[in-house]
Amino acid sequence: MRRILVVGGGYAGFYTAWGLEKRLKPGEAEITVVDPRPYMTYQPFLPEVAAGSIEARHAAVSLRSHLRRTRLVHGTVTRIEHARHAATVQPPDGEPFELGYDIVVVTAGAVTRTFPIPGVTEQAIGMKHVEEAIAIRDRLLDAFDRASLLPAGPERSRLLTVAFVGGGFSGVEGFAELLSLATALLRSYPELRFDDLSFHLVEARDRILPEVTDKPGEWVVRHLVERGARIHLGAQLLSAEDGHIVLSTGEEFDAHTIVWTAGNGANPVVANNTDLPVTARGSVIVRADLRVGTADAIVPDAWAAGDDAAVPDLASAVEGAITVPNAQHAVRQGRLLAKNIAASIRGGRVRDYVHHSLGVVATLGLGKGIFEWRGIVIKGFPAWVMHRGYHVLAIPTWERKVRVALVWATALLFGRDIVSLLSVQHPRQAFLRGGRVEAEAATTVPPRPAPEPAAATAAAGAGSL
């Protein structure tokens, strides 16, 4: 019975554990997955969650529902000591403890990369997890409700100003979807006009969407500008204190909603708290067969994949290239990991990871998208249909595929759901407010008059007879 520890339940970790359950018999291995969240987030759906096109729960896949033979540990791995075959786990409650293992699979993923820019930590929201996408959506809906009661002026403008920092795929898709939602909301708010909206996309480089070639990237910029967006290329964020945006170009404006999508960074557990070999950027050094180590030296019983692993890209013509950290690679690496680990346990042959890109596709709002593959570029509605078709097939489990498809079909008939649930972030407010109202009422109600003495009442009663 081999003890297999999977560090992280994201794409690569989920598919590794799922594949191992299918390939290994119950007596061959004991599989454990450690993750602070009880679900795998399907991140390509987060922009549509923010836009209200998909239910938040449908962008998450429950680990307990689908990993039936895997032990799930709700916690965070804070250290990996492979020399001792032990990992330290910090649970939400209680003291940290150690988990021993025979084989470790490092699929901890990446974390949101931030910089020491004043105000970012206090004001910005990321877009890497479901709860962040929900918060962005509810924040915009709440801003519309508040702005609709205000006269035209600085405060209304601030509430309806949105700033995205980062022009990669997650930033552009989230920005375009939220712009699409805001434009559609105007039909329900006759007090507001299109000119009241102010959407800013800030990118430090001179172009957005580095995954596509120059001309499609330029088309996306023109397309967004035609829809009323303001694209700031070659601009760095200098400050966001109190929601006041200051750019390196000299431009300044106030924003109520600030979303940070300026890239991912190495997971600190992998970068700083392990004796496994890592690159200068903090990623695990991995061979083409996903075993940890170099071509000349293997680290026994250690495997890695996904965003926290520097996996050689054998499909690239560039020498020394590594795979791009995206879902397309993480899913396929997880599947191969399961096959290779099962093969190594049984003394079989492991295979190298080789995957030729299927192209890139992005949503730019309801009915709008872009697709590129080997020089073929498709824009607009057909690309949007391809985006939805690809991702509804790519999300794991038929249960999730059906749920997402049904939500999309419902939205076509009845439109987006524009109910804000911002109050769920503070569920005790109504309860506490009710208690305060009752306490205040008790102190303000005038005292009742004292009853008359019994003798006087009896006398009055006798006289009335």
Side-chain angles (χ1 to χ4, degrees), residues 312-322:
D313 190 354
L314 301 184
S316 174
V318 180
E319 185 178 355
I322 62 173

Side-chain angles (χ1 to χ4, degrees), residues 46-115:
L46 293 185
E48 295 200 56
V49 171
S53 299
I54 291 179
E55 288 292 331
R57 285 191 295 270
H58 298 168
V61 178
S62 169
L63 299 180
R64 293 191 180 275
S65 295
H66 301 289
L67 300 180
R68 301 297 179 85
R69 288 173 39 211
T70 296
R71 178 192 176 195
L72 298 173
V73 176
H74 182 50
T76 302
V77 172
T78 58
R79 186 169 186 80
I80 302 172
E81 296 182 65
H82 192 61
R84 298 195 303 115
H85 279 57
T88 303
V89 178
Q90 176 61 63
D93 305 297
E95 297 297 320
F97 60 91
E98 281 196 351
L99 279 178
Y101 62 82
D102 299 310
I103 298 171
V104 67
V105 181
V106 184
T107 53
V111 297
T112 300
R113 180 183 60 183
T114 58
F115 299 99

Side-chain angles (χ1 to χ4, degrees), residues 75-357:
T76 302
V77 172
T78 58
R79 186 169 186 80
I80 302 172
E81 296 182 65
H82 192 61
R84 298 195 303 115
H85 279 57
T88 303
V89 178
Q90 176 61 63
D93 305 297
E95 297 297 320
F97 60 91
E98 281 196 351
L99 279 178
Y101 62 82
D102 299 310
I103 298 171
V104 67
V105 181
V106 184
T107 53
V111 297
T112 300
R113 180 183 60 183
T114 58
F115 299 99
I117 300 173
V120 168
T121 303
E122 297 80 11
Q123 301 292 331
I125 305 173
M127 200 169 185
K128 197 173 181 63
H129 302 288
V130 172
E131 56 267 32
E132 293 174 323
I134 298 171
I136 292 168
R137 172 178 175 270
D138 287 344
R139 191 174 180 85
L140 180 69
L141 294 173
D142 179 68
F144 265 74
D145 286 333
R146 294 165 60 186
S148 66
L149 300 176
L150 295 175
E155 182 60 17
R156 178 199 271 190
S157 298
R158 183 189 70 83
L159 285 169
L160 298 178
T161 298
V162 176
F164 271 67
V165 183
F169 249 78
S170 61
V172 171
E173 287 190 311
F175 178 80
E177 283 285 351
L178 210 64
L179 176 60
S180 177
L181 170 62
T183 305
L185 282 174
L186 291 173
R187 292 193 294 268
S188 302
Y189 290 86
E191 307 90 347
L192 304 176
R193 298 174 300 133
F194 180 79
D195 293 341
D196 292 323
L197 301 180
S198 184
F199 273 66
H200 300 260
L201 177 62
V202 180
E203 170 54 49
R205 292 167 292 192
D206 59 358
R207 56 162 300 175
I208 61 174
L209 294 179
E211 296 87 349
V212 303
T213 53
D214 290 344
K215 288 187 177 180
E218 293 169 359
W219 176 85
V220 173
V221 171
R222 292 196 302 271
H223 171 76
L224 292 174
V225 170
E226 289 171 359
R227 290 166 54 187
R230 303 179 188 182
I231 312 298
H232 305 268
L233 298 178
Q236 297 181 0
L237 178 65
L238 300 182
S239 175
E241 284 190 291
D242 299 324
H244 183 69
I245 301 295
V246 180
L247 303 181
S248 59
T249 56
E251 297 168 281
E252 298 185 25
F253 54 90
D254 292 324
H256 176 66
T257 303
I258 303 172
V259 183
W260 180 271
T261 59
N264 297 324
N267 191 302
V269 174
V270 175
N272 307 316
N273 297 311
T274 180
D275 53 1
L276 296 172
V278 298
T279 66
R281 297 175 63 88
S283 301
V284 181
I285 298 175
V286 179
R287 294 160 44 98
D289 58 13
L290 305 181
R291 287 183 286 188
V292 176
T294 63
D296 301 322
I298 299 174
V299 177
D301 302 322
W303 306 73
D307 292 356
D308 66 355
V311 180
D313 190 354
L314 301 184
S316 174
V318 180
E319 185 178 355
I322 62 173
T323 57
V324 178
N326 61 21
Q328 191 175 136
H329 284 299
V331 169
R332 287 164 178 79
Q333 289 169 9
R335 289 171 175 164
L336 181 62
L337 259 179
K339 296 176 183 177
N340 281 353
I341 293 172
S344 68
I345 289 175
R346 295 169 177 169
R349 183 176 68 89
V350 299
R351 296 187 296 131
D352 289 344
Y353 176 75
V354 183
H355 173 65
H356 297 275
S357 175

Side-chain angles (χ1 to χ4, degrees), residues 369-427:
I370 187 167
F371 168 82
E372 183 179 22
W373 178 71
R374 296 186 180 181
I376 300 173
V377 179
I378 300 174
K379 307 170 185 175
F381 184 77
W384 175 77
V385 173
M386 295 172 67
H387 174 273
R388 286 203 160 181
Y390 171 78
H391 285 298
V392 79
L393 293 175
I395 190 170
T397 78
W398 278 103
E399 172 259 344
R400 276 294 180 264
K401 299 179 198 295
V402 172
R403 287 183 185 274
V404 170
L406 289 175
V407 170
W408 280 339
T410 304
L412 287 175
L413 294 174
F414 304 108
R416 304 174 193 260
D417 189 341
I418 61 170
V419 175
S420 171
L421 296 177
L422 188 65
S423 58
V424 301
Q425 299 178 30
H426 308 283

